[in-house]
Amino acid sequence: MASKSFHYQGNQSFTITKKGYIIHPKSLNIVWGNDKRYWKLPKDEMDDAELIQVNWLEVTGCIDNINITKKTSYNIEFTVSLMADAFGWSDSPVYLMAKWGDNTQWRKVNLATKTNDKKMISETITIIKGKGSNTDKICFGLYEVWNKKWKGGLKIHSVNLIET
């Protein structure tokens, strides 16, 4: 008998805009996302994902099999907010990751310095097209897996890929 996975597998869909792509939380892969003790998942495509509490934050996604070869770089913008009751972020910086071909970029962000009741926070990382395999695929992620502290009160609104 197969056991239920505690990790949420997104539907991998995205919206094409004039300047790039929008990925909504329902399309993201969320570690521990299928456990209601840790995450409140979006019911509809445009809804936010809400972190209740985890000590392992890992949210990832990819845009695959699209014609992204014309542009050489994208800004990848994670739009999130911290709720009034957010906790655990003071010593837990998050890391943004982007990968395109053989090029991987990381950026450290301290969300605790941006705690404002329900204010949107946009953090950006820029990725330049690399060489090798998977040059028609851009992957991205939001991580805090090293501190092992419990944290909560984060809402994920969208991930935007913007042509530069």
Side-chain angles (χ1 to χ4, degrees), residues 6-94:
F6 291 107
H7 306 307
Y8 174 76
Q9 192 71 29
N11 64 17
Q12 310 303 315
S13 66
F14 53 86
T15 302
I16 299 173
T17 67
K18 288 183 180 181
K19 296 186 177 191
Y21 308 92
I22 299 172
I23 300 91
H24 296 285
K26 197 164 183 76
S27 298
L28 300 171
N29 303 319
I30 302 174
V31 170
W32 298 112
N34 277 337
D35 192 321
K36 292 180 184 198
R37 295 175 296 175
Y38 304 123
W39 283 92
K40 181 180 174 189
L41 292 177
K43 290 186 184 345
D44 296 317
E45 193 66 32
M46 303 298 238
D47 291 347
D48 302 330
E50 183 179 323
L51 171 61
I52 297 167
Q53 65 175 359
V54 293
N55 64 6
W56 182 283
L57 176 69
E58 183 174 338
V59 179
T60 61
C62 289
I63 290 188
D64 196 3
N65 295 324
I66 56 173
N67 185 10
I68 53 178
T69 58
K70 294 179 183 177
K71 299 294 177 181
T72 59
S73 66
Y74 281 85
N75 286 334
I76 300 176
E77 179 181 81
F78 293 81
T79 304
V80 299
S81 61
L82 291 174
M83 299 175 357
D85 60 352
F87 62 93
W89 300 103
S90 61
D91 296 321
S92 300
V94 297

Side-chain angles (χ1 to χ4, degrees), residues 120-132:
M120 298 277 238
I121 305 165
S122 294
E123 294 295 341
T124 304
I125 187 170
T126 301
I127 189 70
I128 297 169
K129 184 176 181 180
K131 296 180 170 123

